[in-house]
Amino acid sequence: MINGEKHTEAPIRWGMVGGGKGSQIGYIHRSAALRDNTFTLVAGALDIVPERGRGFGIELGIDPSRCYADYATMFAAEAQRADGIQAVSIATPNNTHFAIAKSALEHGLHVVCEKPLCFTVAEARELAALAAARKKVVGVTYGYAGHQLIEQAREMVARGDLGEIRLVNLQFAHGFHSAAVEEQNPATRWRVDPRFAGPSYVLGDVGTHPLYLSEVILPDLRIKRLMCARQSFVKSRAPLEDNAVTLMEYEGGAFGTVWSSCINAGSMHGQKVRIVGSKASLEWWDERPNQLSFEVQDEPARVIERGMGYLYPPALADDRIGAGHPEGLFEAWANLYYRFAMAMEASDRGDAARLAGIRYPDIRAGVEGVRWVENCVRSADLGGVWVDYV
């Protein structure tokens, strides 16, 4: 259990690009990073409008001289300081991620980036090579992976509790964009514009979340080929999709589906992961993250609760309060951010063994998310046909 003990020798000096006042995601980054005293926010280029960003940075307690007009200025200025930033989080529209992440790595900074990491597999692999060359950590904020019962599910699969894995049913299908809300909401408007969002909307924005959870739970499964169909039910969003269904064949014979949608009218969030084995199935739903359904054939269904002593040890390590009290997304993000910090410290010390033992959504996860979207778009644009997973 986490009790506030130190995870790193000293807090990592940290800056943010984006995430300013009114940002949908900026506060959760800051709350997660600062929760366990593993990061300290010392600089920022928080807004595309410099004056607004500077004012908000001062409100956050950042030294006014370290509230910058843009990321390039921040990286250059901080590099000249003995106490300059060591890491940066990127919370900006998708089309900026690649350039900012590349510049950060070139300036010797660790990176935490919103997904998608970039637009193309070629760009993602370029970032991976640069991170490896500079020996820097890149984390991707698949925040739901910080929920402890995801670790329980992984252990249950690894220990054979489900038997042979047959089906992987994934969905992230909410209903909040079932109408053209982007007409009145700037925070949504860029997500449906290919210039800013890239080649997809819901595939990259929501579909990659349960996909990554499946990669955590089922690390040995590899996609062999897939087929994707996507639609724009709100016609003004075309060519970007607001609904998509992806079928996946895995090496070894397992089969998977992913439903990615923002037009599932009436659904609050609708992210579920169901793994079906030859002996039993399990299901996790992000609206009830403290419970994991476990269903053994010919036995009564049971609900596994967070924080209980019958869980496997990895599912207990990140608890922040005893069983019965609910934990949620802020705690899950904090669990990832402290892992990011430990990975950054291990990397800077050259401690390869410690680094290898820290599980978090890393540059490989970022590459795979972009790779999956690219293959889905290719299949859909060919008319919804099976394509080899390349």
Side-chain angles (χ1 to χ4, degrees):
M1 178 178 284
I2 295 171
N3 292 300
E5 65 271 20
K6 291 176 63 175
H7 294 291
T8 56
E9 285 299 314
I12 290 172
R13 299 185 301 276
W14 174 57
M16 284 195 75
V17 181
K21 184 173 289 189
S23 166
Q24 287 187 333
I25 207 70
Y27 176 66
I28 196 169
H29 277 277
R30 290 187 291 275
S31 176
L34 302 175
R35 177 75 64 91
D36 297 306
N37 199 34
T38 47
F39 291 88
T40 182
L41 182 62
V42 297
L46 300 170
D47 200 300
I48 195 170
V49 179
E51 297 79 11
R52 190 168 60 198
R54 184 176 186 275
F56 184 56
I58 293 170
E59 290 177 5
L60 294 176
I62 300 174
D63 184 330
S65 69
R66 300 177 80 173
C67 297
Y68 298 98
D70 55 73
Y71 75 87
T73 303
M74 179 169 74
F75 294 166
E78 290 291 313
Q80 301 304 311
R81 299 179 63 110
D83 63 348
I85 58 172
Q86 300 164 283
V88 64
S89 288
I90 302 169
T92 56
N94 300 353
N95 64 313
T96 65
H97 292 177
F98 174 72
I100 299 172
K102 181 178 180 181
S103 179
L105 291 168
E106 290 172 340
H107 282 84
L109 300 174
H110 299 290
V111 174
V112 175
C113 188
E114 275 294 317
K115 51 84 194 126
L117 188 61
C118 49
F119 283 173
T120 69
V121 171
E123 289 177 340
R125 288 174 174 160
E126 182 179 346
L127 292 178
L130 183 56
R134 299 299 176 96
K135 295 182 170 58
K136 294 300 172 184
V137 165
V138 176
V140 182
T141 49
Y142 290 121
Y144 300 95
H147 284 292
Q148 300 93 310
L149 291 181
I150 301 303
E151 293 294 331
Q152 174 70 12
R154 178 188 176 99
E155 286 296 306
M156 292 174 73
V157 169
R159 294 170 187 245
D161 295 350
L162 276 66
E164 179 186 1
I165 302 305
R166 293 174 172 173
L167 298 174
V168 181
N169 290 335
L170 311 171
Q171 70 171 62
F172 198 153
H174 66 81
F176 285 102
H177 298 167
S178 56
V181 296
E182 59 270 18
E183 293 177 0
Q184 304 299 325
N185 188 340
T188 303
R189 190 175 304 139
W190 69 261
R191 297 177 187 275
V192 299
D193 186 333
R195 296 173 300 171
F196 300 99
S200 80
Y201 172 26
V202 293
L203 285 164
D205 195 52
V206 296
T208 54
H209 278 292
L211 181 75
Y212 178 69
L213 294 183
S214 74
E215 292 171 355
V216 173
I217 297 168
L218 302 159
D220 296 328
L221 281 193
R222 298 288 182 271
I223 301 171
K224 181 172 67 176
R225 62 177 191 151
L226 61 72
M227 178 171 63
C228 179
R230 60 177 182 161
Q231 303 83 34
S232 307
F233 283 100
V234 177
K235 299 304 181 184
S236 59
R237 293 171 180 160
L240 299 189
E241 78 290 338
D242 50 23
N243 189 79
V245 176
T246 305
L247 308 181
M248 302 178 294
E249 289 183 353
Y250 293 97
E251 296 175 5
F255 191 83
T257 63
V258 186
W259 178 24
S260 312
S261 184
C262 68
I263 53 90
N264 183 19
S267 171
M268 288 298 295
H269 222 222
Q271 181 178 201
K272 295 183 179 180
V273 175
R274 184 173 180 86
I275 312 297
V276 179
S278 57
K279 298 191 301 184
S281 303
L282 58 80
E283 182 170 303
W284 181 83
W285 180 14
D286 73 353
E287 294 179 40
R288 300 176 183 173
N290 293 269
Q291 290 82 38
L292 180 68
S293 297
F294 182 45
E295 302 153 16
V296 181
Q297 185 62 36
D298 298 324
E299 295 182 12
R302 64 200 74 171
V303 176
I304 295 172
E305 295 279 353
R306 184 202 63 77
M308 295 299 290
Y310 53 70
L311 298 174
Y312 293 130
L316 296 169
D318 285 348
D319 283 340
R320 294 171 179 272
I321 196 168
H325 300 282
E327 293 191 21
L329 191 61
F330 279 79
E331 289 77 19
W333 274 65
N335 291 343
L336 288 192
Y337 255 98
Y338 92 73
R339 296 180 205 170
F340 292 155
M342 291 193 302
M344 291 172 186
E345 183 180 74
S347 178
D348 288 343
R349 292 181 174 183
D351 190 342
R354 185 182 183 217
L355 181 59
I358 302 167
R359 183 157 57 246
Y360 63 95
D362 58 8
I363 185 67
R364 186 207 62 81
V367 173
E368 285 305 305
V370 175
R371 181 186 178 200
W372 183 76
V373 170
E374 193 169 276
N375 277 274
C376 287
V377 169
R378 180 165 60 94
S379 169
D381 288 355
L382 288 172
V385 299
W386 286 100
V387 296
D388 290 336
Y389 197 63
V390 297

